[in-house]
Amino acid sequence: MKLGPRYDPLKVEEEVMKFWLENDIYKKVKELNKKRGKVKLFRFLEGPPTTNGFMHVGHMRGRTYKDVTLRFWRMRGYWVWDQAGWDTQGLPVELEVEKKLGFKSKKDILKYGVDKFVQECQKLVDFYLKRWEEDSKRMGLWLDYENAYQTRHPRYLDTAWSYLKKMFEDGRIYKGFRVVAVCPRCETALSSHEVAQGYKTVEDPSFYFKLPLKDEENVYLIAWTTTPWTIIANEAAAVHPNETYVKIRVNQNGKEEYWILAKKRLEPFAKEVNLEEYEIVEEFKGEELIGKEYIHPLLEEVPAHKEHRKPNHTVIEGAIIRRRILKGKEEEIVKEIFVSMESGTGIVHMAPAHGAEDFEACKEAGVQMFRPIRKDGHFTEEAGKYAGMWFKDAEKQVIKDLKAKGLAVHVGKIRHEYPHCWRCGTPLMYYADEQWFIKVEDLRERLVNENDKVIWHPKWAYDRMKDWLQNARDWTISRERFWGTPLPIWTCPKCGYRIAVGSLKELKEKALNPEKVIDHHRPWVDEVVIRCPKCGAEMKREPYVVDVWLDSGVAHTAALRQIGKEDLWNLLYPYDWITEALDQTRGWFYTLLVTGVTWHGRVPYKRVLTQGHVLDAKGEKMSKSKGNVVWAKDVFEKYGVDPVRFFLSIKSSPWDSVRFDPKDINRFKRTLDILWNSVKFAKSYMDLDKWNLEKLKEGFKYLEPEDSWVLAKTNEYIEKVTEALERSAIHHAALALNDFINEIISHKYIALVRPRVWEEEESPSKLAAYSTLFTVLDATIRMTAPFTPFLAEYLYQSFQRSLGFEEESVHMLLWPEENSLYDPEEAEVVDELLEAAERILALRTERKIKRRWPLPEAFIVIKDREEAAEKREKVIGKDENGNPIIVEEKVYKPLPSESVVKKAAKVLGIYANINEVKVVSEPPLGEYDIIETPRLKVYVKVKLDEETKALGLAKEVIRRVQVMRKEMDLPLDYVVNKVKIYTPSEELKRAIERHKNYIAREVRAKEIEVNEKPLEGKKWDVEGNELIIVIEK
RNA sequence: GGGCCCGUAGCUUAGCCCGGCAGAGCGCCCGGCUGAUAACCGGGAGGCCGGGGGUUCAAAUCCCCCCGGGCCCA
């Protein structure tokens, strides 16, 4: 691999990829690390991407963090367990297939045939999985793809089943009710994710109605609802126990009535329903209402209500009880009151079958649920008058009936957000449905305690997780879908006995029709029946699949079983490090923890890095519907993988959201360009001098101060990058690398060392420069390897490897170690001199003195002990008035020795372009600019004088000859016979004569000839004067 | 309604955990170098550190309140 004139990421990556594949580098690195890492193990488990679409830049960000981290630990000599995995089942896949086939509802699937549908799902997964693998490899993510787990794999499914069987046998799985959002048209429950996608602003009735109290004549509770059809299923009324309620007297069509509602709501209520005259007759706390019975407003229309007994049709407390775990053992009982004083009347009508809060509050109060409606949105016979009606139609009828009975107060309109089916647009119906659960609530304390063992990056992610765990709910695992892990529970229709099956093999043994046992998946598994061991009837499978989060949630065990490495489980569990986006707190991080604790009794991971999301250039969330998704492939095919990886690493902290603007990529690519050029610079001179690794050691004998300085800086930056990567602060590591390459290597060191490598003969100074350059660049290339693996490989092959390194690949090297062959005192002095030099450069610009024109001299004085002391204020106590007593404290620093400063002085000369820099004990006389650094004072006249100008002009001439040499394509070390010069300017002539030898040396000419007559040659302009130059080879 | 995150130059951001001169990059302006050269380098202008209050000798940083944006939960 050759260093071309310019860093071309796409070319580099193509070549490196070829090299990796042809030489099987990944496998070799893996083997090497396995050998090296006998005891040092770094265990990683991938949170599986769902294979239902392409990789976008958000995925690429996470995958970059994964790769950076794994490569870093590999280079530190660890045996890295790099488990890859794919999430291949679940609703997301089904939805993509439905889209592909143009389906509108679940019924379409049944019509099409579940078997064919499931096969389509398999095909879709095959397609996207391949793309993901390709893109992942292309972006340099080194994971073990050959042994990647797939949640649809038979052995993986066996593991999921065995987990479910264990949960069943532990009594942790139960069937119960939960209120879910249902699309009555598609006849299916929607996940919260789907619900969130379908909010629409719609106009609904704002309906106020009366609930007549049973024991008090003419007294009514005033309730409010926007879904009047739920009154059919009303079973209670909820109030806020601590708010004040009022009883008002109103006149309704000549009849006196008493209405009860919250005091705070009275005014807005009166305004909305145009109630002008009323009188408050009583005030009381909401809790006094609790227990009062009312007569169901649709008692005649829905006779079933006549059978409902107390506490049904009573006032209950509008609160949900939550138990939270505080600091280990303590349990706090929190009442979440949901009765709002922002809208309605402060009396909330409760239909336990149609609201999550209603369901919970009624359960707590012992109110029985009543659900006279089917999942398809039509009322059942139990609904009396409304039987057979579509729920939205029943709404109008209910209002009409209540009006007729004098129980309607007001029908208004309200515009609000209401969830609709994102697929077919039908308003959703909240509906209490039978579901399967895994019991989690009793484990909250355990979960919190296990979470305490985990190190979260950043720290606040721990609090977020803890908050989630303290409020953990029983896990609804059943889904009425097709492409997923079937729930392996068989129920006897006759006696209700149930069994759980833990593997396909076990099913075959138990099945009455073992020939039907072909696949774990639906529809085949649905055919399998088992003889009931209790009554002998045929048991049938519960027709659900399980939540897709359970699939990935058992990856800590299922992955190993799938790939036949179960024996490693003891070694690998718990995993050292996992990382996914922030939203996985309630997703994968959570389900891993729950399955880990319920199955193996402990948390399956030790460290978690939570990532922020990638937003578009405007800061908006990327979504397919908005069309602002940026696909990873498009980006890395355009800019190259390494620049994108570097950009993603450096742009922001992993846990913050990041705006993705492709324009930013080139900004950081510049650093990679500079690295490329720096290596090229070093390599071209080393080649010229036939330098190689054998001379490395010798060079360290002759180190000069700037060498010591850059070696010290290198150590400093190695430490910074290492420390940052250890705590997953990937952006800090990348920023440090960025600064190191730009400021230390390019801006400073190369500028300082350039004259030394330009020397012709092999000198100790040059040897030292090469040894230093090599060491510094070697460390840098190693440190970039995790971030930009292709570029690092390319540079390694063309630099370290070509100069004598034996390792086949940069990824087989170890992480750079700190070097201690330099002189730290010299390094410190150089640091101060560079600081002074930068200030002189600022003065030059300010006074318009070109950097090319050398200043004649500068003097350095080492400060004395007192002068160099740092003053610091310190509080030593308080006086009698309580005011602090502050003393000035002096911190004395060791002063640099004169010999060291003398040796280092040239750094100031080179960097600030000063001809002579002297170290003196007394300040020079005259007017000087004085520049102070902590321990030094520099005296320099930043002024243009004749001497300076003459040398400056000589340099102008040199520069132009150099340009011509290059135009003539002369080799770097070619010595020309003669350079002839003509100029009419006396000043320029004098300057050339005066610095003739200097010019000759710099341009590698045997002779410089100044002519009196104009020449036939290249004409130049120097500060307004004509200059003609001829080069004779 | 609750929990958490974010708010720093025109733009993108570091610094905040652990208080001590507010630091970069891009863009803009001025300049240098010309054998790292389709490169490289120097300088400058530009900041109520979202707002208010508190703690402190000292607050971008710690505490409280508010405003704006986001994520999650209800």
Side-chain angles (χ1 to χ4, degrees):
Chain A
M1 296 180 202
K2 284 230 158 102
L3 288 166
R6 207 167 52 133
Y7 166 44
D8 177 349
L10 294 173
K11 232 185 97 208
V12 164
E13 286 159 22
E14 196 191 325
E15 244 182 277
V16 169
M17 187 59 97
K18 213 173 126 214
F19 167 77
W20 283 351
L21 291 176
E22 278 172 6
N23 298 287
D24 218 359
I25 299 298
Y26 167 71
K27 275 218 178 116
K28 286 179 188 165
V29 170
K30 213 172 150 85
E31 282 310 307
L32 183 67
N33 278 279
K34 193 171 174 176
K35 260 181 256 158
R36 269 183 194 157
K38 278 247 162 66
V39 267
K40 298 199 294 187
L41 204 56
F42 187 82
R43 301 158 295 188
F44 168 74
L45 180 65
E46 159 139 85
T50 304
T51 48
N52 71 331
F54 299 108
M55 189 198 291
H56 61 63
V57 288
H59 298 119
M60 188 173 173
R61 185 198 198 192
R63 294 177 101 57
T64 298
Y65 296 150
K66 288 175 185 176
D67 195 57
V68 167
T69 305
L70 298 187
R71 285 184 193 271
F72 170 68
W73 289 104
R74 283 192 196 105
M75 289 184 85
R76 301 198 78 196
Y78 280 71
W79 177 27
V80 171
W81 183 261
D82 48 2
Q83 179 73 59
W86 308 108
D87 217 353
T88 55
Q89 300 184 145
L91 193 65
V93 175
E94 289 193 32
L95 293 180
E96 275 309 306
V97 172
E98 285 189 56
K99 220 189 270 170
K100 199 174 128 195
L101 298 175
F103 289 177
K104 289 253 172 342
S105 78
K106 209 164 139 184
K107 286 172 199 151
D108 293 334
I109 299 172
L110 295 168
K111 234 189 289 165
Y112 182 76
V114 175
D115 52 344
K116 272 160 73 195
F117 181 76
V118 164
Q119 277 155 8
E120 284 297 322
C121 289
Q122 291 273 25
K123 270 203 261 172
L124 187 100
V125 168
D126 290 340
F127 174 81
Y128 282 114
L129 197 148
K130 200 162 163 245
R131 296 300 172 285
W132 267 87
E133 208 178 289
E134 280 168 12
D135 289 352
S136 298
K137 284 178 178 169
R138 173 66 185 86
M139 67 157 281
L141 172 59
W142 274 9
L143 295 176
D144 190 350
Y145 299 105
E146 275 176 33
N147 289 305
Y149 66 89
Q150 289 187 26
T151 54
R152 62 176 173 172
H153 192 282
R155 281 200 296 274
Y156 196 100
L157 289 167
D158 266 352
T159 312
W161 274 16
S162 67
Y163 170 67
L164 287 162
K165 182 180 179 184
K166 171 157 171 56
M167 289 305 99
F168 180 81
E169 284 169 359
D170 288 354
R172 211 158 259 297
I173 288 190
Y174 70 93
K175 200 173 185 182
F177 276 92
R178 175 161 287 185
V179 174
V180 289
V182 162
C183 172
R185 202 182 150 284
C186 304
E187 286 180 60
T188 181
L190 271 68
S191 70
S192 58
H193 173 76
E194 293 171 281
V195 173
Q197 269 185 62
Y199 274 91
K200 277 194 215 167
T201 304
V202 289
E203 201 161 79
D204 270 323
S206 166
F207 185 50
Y208 293 88
F209 62 102
K210 304 177 200 170
L211 298 170
L213 281 186
K214 199 175 175 188
D215 303 319
E216 294 170 59
E217 194 81 2
N218 279 332
V219 182
Y220 302 90
L221 303 168
I222 306 300
W224 178 69
T225 183
T226 57
T227 50
W229 61 270
T230 59
I231 298 170
I232 296 166
N234 169 282
E235 290 299 344
V239 294
H240 195 303
N242 309 324
E243 290 287 343
T244 304
Y245 284 73
V246 290
K247 188 190 269 182
I248 59 171
R249 179 162 51 220
V250 295
N251 198 311
Q252 282 287 70
N253 306 323
K255 205 178 113 209
E256 207 167 69
E257 282 185 4
Y258 295 91
W259 293 357
I260 294 173
L261 71 164
K263 192 179 179 187
K264 279 185 188 154
R265 296 304 307 162
L266 179 56
E267 243 178 81
F269 163 77
K271 211 172 149 196
E272 192 182 341
V273 308
N274 302 315
L275 180 69
E276 276 158 19
E277 281 181 38
Y278 58 84
E279 188 191 341
I280 297 175
V281 294
E282 214 179 310
E283 280 193 19
F284 41 85
K285 274 270 150 78
E287 59 192 358
E288 288 177 41
L289 288 167
I290 293 169
K292 283 193 192 284
E293 268 186 273
Y294 63 87
I295 301 160
H296 195 281
L298 296 171
L299 199 63
E300 292 76 21
E301 290 79 0
V302 188
H305 278 293
K306 289 178 181 158
E307 311 301 321
H308 297 173
R309 298 283 168 259
K310 209 173 171 177
N312 283 46
H313 305 163
T314 65
V315 178
I316 63 170
E317 186 177 39
I320 295 168
I321 309 298
R322 302 234 179 272
R323 288 163 190 90
R324 294 167 52 103
I325 311 298
L326 293 171
K327 288 188 194 126
K329 289 256 159 73
E330 271 174 80
E331 196 172 76
E332 184 193 37
I333 294 177
V334 188
K335 264 190 202 174
E336 271 178 26
I337 296 172
F338 57 79
V339 177
S340 160
M341 291 295 135
E342 305 297 316
S343 60
T345 59
I347 294 174
V348 181
H349 121 80
M350 299 266 97
H354 301 295
E357 287 166 346
D358 310 41
F359 181 85
E360 299 256 335
C362 287
K363 195 169 152 195
E364 197 70 35
V367 174
Q368 296 294 309
M369 182 179 88
F370 178 51
R371 192 189 60 179
I373 191 167
R374 283 190 306 267
K375 209 181 275 181
D376 65 3
H378 292 273
F379 281 96
T380 63
E381 291 308 313
E382 279 189 304
K385 183 178 176 182
Y386 308 100
M389 244 182 238
W390 171 248
F391 76 111
K392 274 282 165 187
D393 297 333
E395 190 159 287
K396 286 159 207 146
Q397 190 59 45
V398 166
I399 293 172
K400 216 164 151 190
D401 291 341
L402 290 178
K403 267 187 181 163
K405 295 170 84 174
L407 291 176
V409 176
H410 179 79
V411 194
K413 289 201 158 121
I414 183 170
R415 285 184 72 78
H416 65 160
E417 300 247 294
Y418 190 82
H420 290 65
C421 178
W422 63 277
R423 230 177 342 203
C424 68
T426 309
L428 299 182
M429 177 173 89
Y430 284 97
Y431 185 87
D433 204 10
E434 262 200 324
Q435 301 284 352
W436 286 88
F437 297 87
I438 290 182
K439 231 190 271 172
V440 174
E441 286 167 31
D442 62 325
L443 289 172
R444 285 173 181 166
E445 189 189 322
R446 286 282 308 283
L447 295 174
V448 169
N449 290 342
E450 286 300 309
N451 183 47
D452 284 346
K453 299 179 191 162
V454 179
I455 297 166
W456 289 82
H457 301 290
K459 282 198 187 99
W460 52 258
Y462 162 81
D463 299 315
R464 233 178 124 107
M465 183 67 167
K466 187 173 176 178
D467 186 64
W468 174 255
L469 294 175
Q470 283 171 335
N471 295 297
R473 311 284 307 276
D474 286 351
W475 180 7
T476 317
I477 55 163
S478 49
R479 298 287 185 273
E480 293 158 273
R481 299 294 312 191
F482 307 101
W483 175 236
T485 305
L487 186 66
I489 294 174
W490 270 256
T491 304
C492 174
K494 213 167 141 201
C495 70
Y497 185 71
R498 288 189 169 122
I499 57 166
V501 174
S503 70
L504 207 61
K505 190 166 160 256
E506 185 186 336
L507 183 60
K508 212 158 201 165
E509 286 160 11
K510 291 201 162 108
L512 273 171
N513 46 353
E515 73 283 359
K516 296 269 186 189
V517 182
I518 309 160
D519 193 312
H520 291 79
H521 288 106
R522 298 188 70 185
W524 302 280
V525 71
D526 298 333
E527 303 286 312
V528 181
V529 289
I530 296 173
R531 171 86 61 223
C532 176
K534 286 270 145 96
C535 73
E538 279 184 11
M539 303 175 95
K540 291 208 136 191
R541 197 184 72 83
E542 290 289 323
Y544 304 92
V545 296
V546 302
D547 181 11
V548 67
W549 289 110
L550 192 138
D551 290 358
S552 52
V554 294
H556 49 67
T557 305
L560 294 175
R561 292 199 187 170
Q562 182 195 315
I563 63 174
K565 300 256 169 80
E566 279 170 79
D567 52 317
L568 289 178
W569 188 85
N570 276 322
L571 197 62
L572 296 174
Y573 190 105
Y575 293 82
D576 288 294
W577 188 74
I578 59 173
T579 179
E580 298 301 327
L582 200 62
D583 51 325
Q584 300 302 329
T585 305
R586 64 181 187 88
W588 194 54
F589 299 151
Y590 175 68
T591 58
L592 276 180
L593 177 62
V594 170
T595 59
V597 169
T598 51
W599 199 357
H600 306 304
R602 61 204 161 103
V603 61
Y605 44 80
K606 291 168 121 174
R607 269 171 196 265
V608 185
L609 168 64
T610 63
Q611 308 156 20
H613 289 109
V614 175
L615 312 172
D616 71 7
K618 286 181 234 140
E620 282 177 40
K621 208 177 158 182
M622 287 187 187
S623 73
K624 279 192 203 169
S625 59
K626 256 192 256 168
N628 61 349
V629 179
V630 182
W631 304 112
K633 198 175 177 181
D634 294 341
V635 175
F636 63 58
E637 277 185 349
K638 183 165 177 197
Y639 298 92
V641 161
D642 284 333
V644 177
R645 287 173 57 126
F646 192 60
F647 157 75
L648 289 169
S649 300
I650 205 169
K651 171 80 183 191
S652 76
S653 66
W655 39 85
D656 276 332
S657 57
V658 60
R659 289 186 190 204
F660 185 85
D661 190 344
K663 278 186 280 177
D664 288 344
I665 296 170
N666 283 327
R667 204 164 104 191
F668 296 105
K669 189 204 164 228
R670 285 184 41 142
T671 301
L672 305 180
D673 289 330
I674 288 174
L675 177 63
W676 176 279
N677 289 328
S678 302
V679 174
K680 195 162 92 90
F681 166 81
K683 182 65 168 40
S684 53
Y685 284 105
M686 286 171 178
D687 283 352
L688 211 60
D689 289 320
K690 305 200 168 48
W691 188 88
N692 63 37
L693 271 187
E694 284 160 26
K695 298 181 184 169
L696 181 70
K697 229 175 145 188
E698 198 193 341
F700 281 110
K701 287 190 220 152
Y702 315 116
L703 290 188
E704 302 205 6
E706 65 266 28
D707 301 330
S708 285
W709 174 80
V710 78
L711 289 169
K713 286 287 169 191
T714 306
N715 286 351
E716 200 180 291
Y717 278 88
I718 290 174
E719 203 185 314
K720 270 190 201 174
V721 174
T722 309
E723 181 271 339
L725 286 178
E726 279 174 351
R727 58 184 175 86
S728 288
I730 290 161
H731 64 311
H732 280 159
L735 276 166
L737 253 178
N738 189 65
D739 290 352
F740 184 63
I741 291 167
N742 282 305
E743 281 164 36
I744 306 301
I745 298 180
S746 176
H747 296 195
K748 306 242 164 70
Y749 187 67
I750 288 185
L752 290 175
V753 87
R754 184 177 272 130
R756 285 166 59 194
V757 300
W758 184 226
E759 285 166 22
E760 275 184 70
E761 63 286 354
E762 181 154 307
S763 64
S765 161
K766 194 149 88 175
L767 278 178
Y770 285 156
S771 292
T772 309
L773 260 178
F774 184 85
T775 306
V776 171
L777 290 173
D778 173 49
T780 311
I781 291 168
R782 288 179 202 230
M783 284 195 283
T784 55
F787 297 91
T788 55
F790 295 94
L791 175 60
E793 185 72 276
Y794 197 93
L795 293 176
Y796 172 76
Q797 298 298 336
S798 49
F799 186 63
Q800 292 112 303
R801 189 101 207 272
S802 77
L803 291 168
F805 265 37
E806 281 176 8
E807 285 84 349
E808 200 179 351
S809 159
V810 71
H811 302 291
M812 295 173 174
L813 298 182
L814 286 169
W815 194 244
E817 284 188 8
E818 295 189 11
N819 177 304
S820 56
L821 296 169
Y822 64 92
D823 181 335
E825 195 184 350
E826 284 179 10
E828 279 174 42
V829 170
V830 169
D831 214 40
E832 287 192 37
L833 289 174
L834 284 172
E835 189 188 327
E838 283 183 345
R839 302 237 290 276
I840 292 169
L841 287 177
L843 285 175
R844 273 177 171 277
T845 307
E846 196 181 296
R847 294 175 194 174
K848 304 217 179 297
I849 302 166
K850 293 183 176 179
R851 198 179 176 185
R852 196 188 328 150
W853 296 347
L855 298 169
E857 56 185 1
F859 302 93
I860 303 172
V861 177
I862 302 169
K863 289 180 178 176
D864 64 33
R865 200 173 113 88
E866 281 300 318
E867 235 182 333
E870 196 189 329
K871 287 171 195 132
R872 206 177 276 164
E873 285 181 346
K874 197 182 169 190
V875 181
I876 55 162
K878 298 212 169 169
D879 64 18
E880 61 272 22
N881 299 323
N883 296 319
I885 305 164
I886 300 159
V887 289
E888 223 174 53
E889 200 189 37
K890 278 190 179 173
V891 182
Y892 291 98
K893 291 180 229 171
L895 294 174
S897 75
E898 199 181 307
S899 63
V900 167
V901 179
K902 271 192 173 143
K903 214 174 145 194
K906 63 156 182 176
V907 166
L908 184 68
I910 298 167
Y911 203 69
N913 197 8
I914 301 167
N915 259 354
E916 205 174 341
V917 182
K918 290 179 192 144
V919 182
V920 293
S921 47
E922 290 298 324
L925 296 172
E927 278 203 18
Y928 282 90
D929 294 294
I930 305 169
I931 287 126
E932 279 194 58
T933 65
R935 301 176 302 168
L936 304 173
K937 271 181 163 177
V938 175
Y939 294 79
V940 61
K941 287 181 188 165
V942 185
K943 222 163 58 177
L944 193 59
D945 58 21
E946 210 189 321
E947 175 81 7
T948 307
K949 187 137 193 213
L951 192 53
L953 289 172
K955 290 208 166 191
E956 300 280 359
V957 174
I958 292 169
R959 185 197 126 202
R960 285 162 177 82
V961 178
Q962 303 286 34
V963 171
M964 289 171 72
R965 277 185 66 115
K966 198 174 176 216
E967 280 167 2
M968 292 165 71
D969 252 342
L970 294 180
L972 282 183
D973 50 358
Y974 186 86
V975 179
V976 298
N977 265 328
K978 196 188 267 182
V979 173
K980 291 158 118 183
I981 300 174
Y982 163 78
T983 176
S985 157
E986 287 305 316
E987 190 189 21
L988 201 49
K989 234 183 271 177
R990 271 203 309 279
I992 295 166
E993 290 293 350
R994 186 157 166 190
H995 295 290
K996 219 170 185 173
N997 290 338
Y998 172 58
I999 297 172
R1001 195 168 67 240
E1002 286 294 309
V1003 303
R1004 300 197 177 185
K1006 286 186 185 140
E1007 194 190 336
I1008 304 289
E1009 185 184 287
V1010 181
N1011 294 56
E1012 291 304 320
K1013 274 180 253 160
L1015 296 158
E1016 282 299 308
K1018 197 172 167 103
K1019 286 183 185 169
W1020 298 89
D1021 178 275
V1022 176
E1023 302 282 305
N1025 300 306
E1026 192 187 15
L1027 176 75
I1028 301 172
I1029 300 172
V1030 176
I1031 296 180
E1032 285 180 4
K1033 280 214 238 173

